[in-house]
Amino acid sequence: MSFLELAHKTVVIFGLANKKSVACAVGRVLVEQGARVIHVVRSEERRQTALKLFPQSLVLVCDVEDEANIVRARDEIKAALAGTKIHGLVHSIAFANYSEGLKPFHATLKRDFLQAVDISCFSLISIAHHFQELLDSDASVVTISISTTRMAAENYGYMAPIKAALDSSLCFLAKSFSAFSRVRFNSVAPGLLKTSASAGIPGYVDSYLYAEKAILRKQALTTAEVADTVAFLLSPRSSGITTQTIVVDGGMAVNYFDREIVQGTVS
């Protein structure tokens, strides 16, 4: 038996975009562990991508901005499960509208901020609510956050406060669900990753290269490392962990005063 005990468990993953996605890396490690993986993606184009990457998986389309789509996806999954339960649910969804370019935080457009809250944060609450009856009483729900919401990274804009709201939502969801289950809610918070989504953030490449120098090992994080942490939180081996944000940053948070970085800045 595998240490993680994920064989034959059913896990639903929201958010795969392409092979570089964290959701894709999570799906791969779960399949390796013998889990049954169901992917829920935003568009038909992404569905075709997911089917190529995971030909044995059920793949459904759901744009979470419309709550009716979440209900429909739930009903489709319920029919496919035929009475069995979901043991794990992964929320790997985030969206920010940078179509008008990067603005100072105080100039954030209300419509952009609220749309990002809806898609990136409220969608977790909505999914948990609508999938409640399908979740096993000991299920694990894991969302993807960021390593710190207290660092004012200008090029990340208004997404850090939204991720802070996402992290805060974990304790309220866990408390609500504790009235009738032992479902756990946790977050994995990676440092900077090389994904297609991050490539759309203005100035991200420079920040990524800086992070690589600030990480203690001087080597960037990989999506596989993040996925391994997600898999652990989905497994029964993490049964004592709930309402936590697990930071996966290679020690970057303790290394901002790295000698090499300081000398390169002041010289």
Side-chain angles (χ1 to χ4, degrees):
M1 179 182 294
S2 168
F3 173 79
L4 292 179
E5 299 180 5
L6 287 169
H8 310 300
K9 302 288 188 181
T10 298
V11 180
V12 177
I13 302 175
F14 281 79
L16 186 149
N18 52 53
K19 65 181 180 180
K20 294 182 179 180
S21 302
V22 171
C24 182
V26 172
R28 283 173 173 155
V29 71
L30 292 178
V31 169
E32 290 172 0
Q33 292 296 314
R36 177 190 182 187
V37 176
I38 298 173
H39 284 282
V40 184
V41 300
R42 192 178 73 181
S43 65
E44 180 59 32
E45 180 182 1
R46 292 186 176 183
R47 179 174 178 272
Q48 294 305 316
T49 297
L51 284 171
K52 291 177 182 177
L53 294 168
F54 297 91
Q56 305 303 317
S57 293
L58 173 65
V59 182
L60 303 176
V61 175
C62 173
D63 183 345
V64 297
E65 197 169 5
D66 183 350
E67 194 164 6
N69 286 331
I70 297 175
V71 175
R72 176 182 49 75
R74 178 207 61 195
D75 292 343
E76 291 176 358
I77 291 173
K78 181 178 181 179
L81 293 177
T84 58
K85 293 291 187 177
I86 294 171
H87 303 95
L89 196 154
V90 178
H91 174 271
S92 184
I93 301 172
F95 175 81
N97 185 358
Y98 296 111
S99 61
E100 296 187 19
L102 193 64
K103 297 178 181 292
F105 180 75
H106 64 268
T108 300
L109 297 177
K110 180 179 180 179
R111 66 173 184 269
D112 291 345
F113 189 87
L114 294 181
Q115 183 187 36
V117 170
D118 186 10
I119 296 173
S120 308
C121 178
F122 182 76
S123 62
L124 173 64
I125 301 168
S126 182
I127 290 167
H129 170 60
H130 291 298
F131 277 72
Q132 169 191 329
E133 65 177 88
L134 300 185
L135 293 174
D136 183 81
S137 61
D138 286 300
S140 174
V141 178
V142 181
T143 189
I144 307 300
S145 186
I146 56 174
S147 58
T148 175
T149 58
R150 299 288 298 170
M151 180 64 67
E154 292 174 297
N155 62 339
Y156 201 58
Y158 52 84
M159 279 302 293
I162 291 167
K163 289 291 190 178
L166 179 68
D167 288 343
S168 179
S169 297
L170 298 173
C171 61
F172 291 92
L173 284 167
K175 179 62 177 177
S176 292
F177 271 68
S178 70
F180 52 83
S181 75
R182 294 182 297 274
V183 175
R184 297 180 292 117
F185 292 84
N186 290 294
S187 171
V188 173
L192 283 74
L193 297 169
K194 187 181 292 184
T195 65
S196 297
S198 64
I201 300 174
Y204 186 87
V205 173
D206 289 341
S207 296
Y208 177 85
L209 294 174
Y210 168 81
E212 191 166 36
K213 291 182 177 295
I215 290 173
L216 289 171
R217 68 190 186 191
K218 306 296 184 182
Q219 180 182 350
L221 293 171
T222 68
T223 53
E225 290 175 308
V226 177
D228 287 343
T229 307
V230 173
F232 169 69
L233 289 175
L234 290 171
S235 79
R237 294 295 187 178
S238 62
S239 60
I241 302 174
T242 192
T243 72
Q244 299 300 305
T245 297
I246 309 299
V247 175
V248 182
D249 72 348
M252 186 176 75
V254 305
N255 201 38
Y256 292 124
F257 289 95
D258 178 84
R259 183 181 303 170
E260 179 185 343
I261 296 174
V262 173
Q263 290 178 342
T265 301
V266 301
S267 60

